[in-house]
Amino acid sequence: MTDSPAEARTLVLLRHAKAEPGSEGTDDAQRPLSARGEADAAAAGAWLAHHDLLPDVVICSTARRTRQTWHGVAMGMTGSPPEGGPAGPRPSVRYEPGAYDAHPEELLSLTRTADPAARVVLLIAHNPGVSLLSAFLDPETADEEGLRTAELAVHRSAATWTQWDRGGAPIAQRHTARG
């Protein structure tokens, strides 16, 4: 099957934006974004909108910093809160507890459950899982350092979501958002 824009499915992997450092007694999942992280999340959203990568489905870890990253991305895409806006219709958003501290296979399993009609899925998660998933999908261009905070890896494949597998979705673009 040829990978044409009409058939291609796009998975955008996003490592959450920069978070405040943890302090003793603070649950890691509750760490908020830093001011830089908030700006970077909005910059990531603006980049997605500029490159016509508005998601149909968002799969987001339930950690505070990933939820805040999604909110910033949505603001950057539309210039308004994530209820939708001038940039397009509101995506379906799933907050997934299983995306926190997940292995790449678990993240891929979440992706495989995306609506079959979805053309663009945005997965917002954590390292090392999100970086390892990117390397799994495209071992040829894997970066040993992995994704940096607020970095996007755009993978494309003509396969249905349920068929995504090792080496089957090359990286089409990478971008580190900085606000």
Side-chain angles (χ1 to χ4, degrees), residues 59-62 96-102 107 110 123-126:
I59 301 170
C60 184
S61 160
T62 54
E96 291 284 349
Y100 180 77
D101 202 23
L107 293 173
L110 290 172
L123 174 64
I124 306 171
H126 310 264

Side-chain angles (χ1 to χ4, degrees), residues 49 52 54 74-90:
D52 198 25
L54 298 175
M75 295 285 287
M77 287 187 323
T78 65
S80 63
E83 287 77 39
R90 176 175 60 197

Side-chain angles (χ1 to χ4, degrees), residues 26-142:
T26 302
D27 180 10
D28 181 66
Q30 293 305 314
R31 291 192 302 131
L33 290 184
S34 65
R36 181 184 124 196
E38 290 175 5
D40 292 351
W47 187 87
L48 289 171
H50 180 76
H51 288 86
D52 198 25
L53 291 169
L54 298 175
D56 300 306
V57 173
V58 176
I59 301 170
C60 184
S61 160
T62 54
R64 183 176 180 186
R65 61 189 174 276
T66 51
R67 289 181 288 118
Q68 288 178 327
T69 297
W70 162 238
H71 187 266
V73 166
M75 295 285 287
M77 287 187 323
T78 65
S80 63
E83 287 77 39
R90 176 175 60 197
S92 167
V93 181
R94 291 178 16 213
Y95 294 101
E96 291 284 349
Y100 180 77
D101 202 23
H103 295 282
E105 298 82 10
E106 295 165 314
L107 293 173
L108 184 57
S109 290
L110 290 172
T111 301
R112 287 177 176 151
T113 66
D115 179 346
R119 289 290 172 204
V120 178
V121 172
L122 171 62
L123 174 64
I124 306 171
H126 310 264
N127 264 350
V130 72
S131 291
L132 292 172
L133 176 57
S134 184
F136 179 84
L137 294 171
D138 185 1
E140 297 292 316
T141 61

